[in-house]
Amino acid sequence: MDCPQQAATTNGGHHKDGDAAEWKQVAELRAVTEAQDPACKEEDDYMLRRFLRARDHHIGKASTMLLKYLKWKPSAKPHGCISESEVARELSQGKLCLQGHDRQGRPMIYGFGARHHPSTRDLDEFKRFVVYVLDATVARLPPGQEKFAAVADLKGWGYSNCDIRAYLAALDIMQNYYPERLARVFLIHVPYVFMAAWKIVYPFIDDNTKKKFVFVSDKDLDRTLREAIDDAQLPEMYGGKLKLASPSPSPAK
């Protein structure tokens, strides 16, 4: 399978968005990082800007984070991307659907927590699956958009679905290697028992990311989703017109 094509970005030269001071910091970050790892030359300026923002524009901290990413990337994706065959079992469970966009043009991910079964999952495959999904979602970004949004539907979730190791692994990958990609996650149909797991995971979420997780009560669900997502892009199960495919569609689609 070919690697999904990521959204076009600008590497060097004239930038059409952001302020000049921030782009100057990006140039400084590039110089510092390339001096330690020439592989940084392959990454575009928007990538570097996301790492810079994730560390509140502290060049030293951003460079440390970026160098960690550059070391991780070839080991996590030795062939440049994750193929469907490498995550076949995860895909077959239909736990994620990558379809539609919100009103701001951000690609949507719909996750179904009750379809995840830790007793049969392989943690290494699950980590590959997280990378596969994030790369596939990035490939769906429209021009000018760098972030995606998600709905985590926990209807039917119980202790047999609880998988702290997997949750922390996914969080680690997203926060450290795909910074500033997540815009917002709506957690819906949340059972009370889930909050025990949430209390364990919450301290591992960085402060900038914590505010992106939004718990939505059943009484506010319809209004919240319709305010965020157009009817044509809202899945049928939530009262919209979008037919969700299951399992997750290929990144090539």
Side-chain angles (χ1 to χ4, degrees):
M1 184 200 75
D2 293 334
C3 292
Q5 294 297 311
Q6 302 213 354
T9 50
T10 303
N11 189 5
H14 178 68
H15 297 281
K16 296 182 179 179
D17 65 338
D19 60 76
E22 186 177 47
W23 286 121
K24 183 179 179 180
Q25 286 185 304
V26 168
E28 293 176 23
L29 173 59
R30 179 176 294 282
V32 169
T33 308
E34 284 186 6
Q36 298 180 71
D37 190 340
C40 184
K41 294 178 181 178
E42 300 176 10
E43 307 300 336
D44 64 64
D45 285 343
Y46 286 92
M47 164 77 83
L48 269 65
R49 186 174 68 170
R50 289 191 295 275
F51 277 82
L52 185 66
R53 288 176 172 178
R55 289 297 177 264
D56 297 319
H57 295 84
H58 188 291
I59 292 175
K61 293 179 180 179
S63 181
T64 298
M65 185 185 191
L66 185 53
L67 286 166
K68 182 180 177 183
Y69 164 79
L70 294 171
K71 183 177 180 181
W72 167 85
K73 184 179 178 180
S75 61
K77 298 186 280 186
H79 306 295
C81 66
I82 304 296
S83 67
E84 290 184 17
S85 62
E86 294 178 89
V87 292
R89 180 163 50 181
E90 291 289 333
L91 280 172
S92 69
Q93 296 172 18
K95 65 182 71 176
L96 293 179
C97 291
L98 282 54
Q99 289 178 251
H101 294 76
D102 67 9
R103 292 185 184 273
Q104 297 186 48
R106 299 179 296 213
M108 294 295 303
I109 298 176
Y110 294 92
F112 303 95
R115 297 180 187 178
H116 178 75
H117 303 288
S119 62
T120 59
R121 72 104 176 93
D122 175 83
L123 189 59
D124 287 336
E125 182 183 358
F126 179 80
K127 290 178 181 179
R128 291 195 298 271
F129 180 61
V130 173
V131 174
Y132 172 93
V133 167
L134 290 172
D135 284 349
T137 303
V138 168
R140 296 166 54 218
L141 290 169
Q145 181 59 258
E146 296 185 72
K147 297 175 182 282
F148 68 87
V151 172
D153 191 332
L154 296 169
K155 179 179 287 187
W157 187 95
Y159 286 120
S160 65
N161 305 115
C162 184
D163 193 350
I164 301 299
R165 290 185 68 194
Y167 300 158
L168 293 179
L171 190 63
D172 176 69
I173 291 170
M174 185 180 68
Q175 290 187 155
N176 292 316
Y177 307 124
Y178 293 82
E180 296 298 305
R181 284 299 196 188
L182 177 66
R184 178 177 58 198
V185 180
F186 288 137
L187 293 98
I188 68 173
H189 299 140
V190 181
Y192 181 76
V193 292
F194 176 77
M195 298 313 297
W198 181 252
K199 288 178 181 178
I200 297 173
V201 173
Y202 189 76
F204 293 92
I205 306 175
D206 66 41
D207 290 339
N208 288 334
T209 305
K210 284 176 180 175
K211 60 189 177 185
K212 298 176 183 179
F213 288 89
V214 180
F215 284 83
V216 182
S217 66
D218 288 349
K219 67 181 179 62
D220 295 328
L221 180 59
D222 185 70
R223 175 184 58 80
T224 301
L225 291 181
R226 290 185 183 278
E227 285 179 355
I229 306 167
D230 184 76
D231 191 54
Q233 297 290 313
L234 185 66
E236 292 177 328
M237 67 176 66
Y238 305 125
K241 298 178 179 178
L242 180 68
K243 286 184 177 292
L244 285 185
S246 182
S248 308
S250 158
K253 292 183 179 180

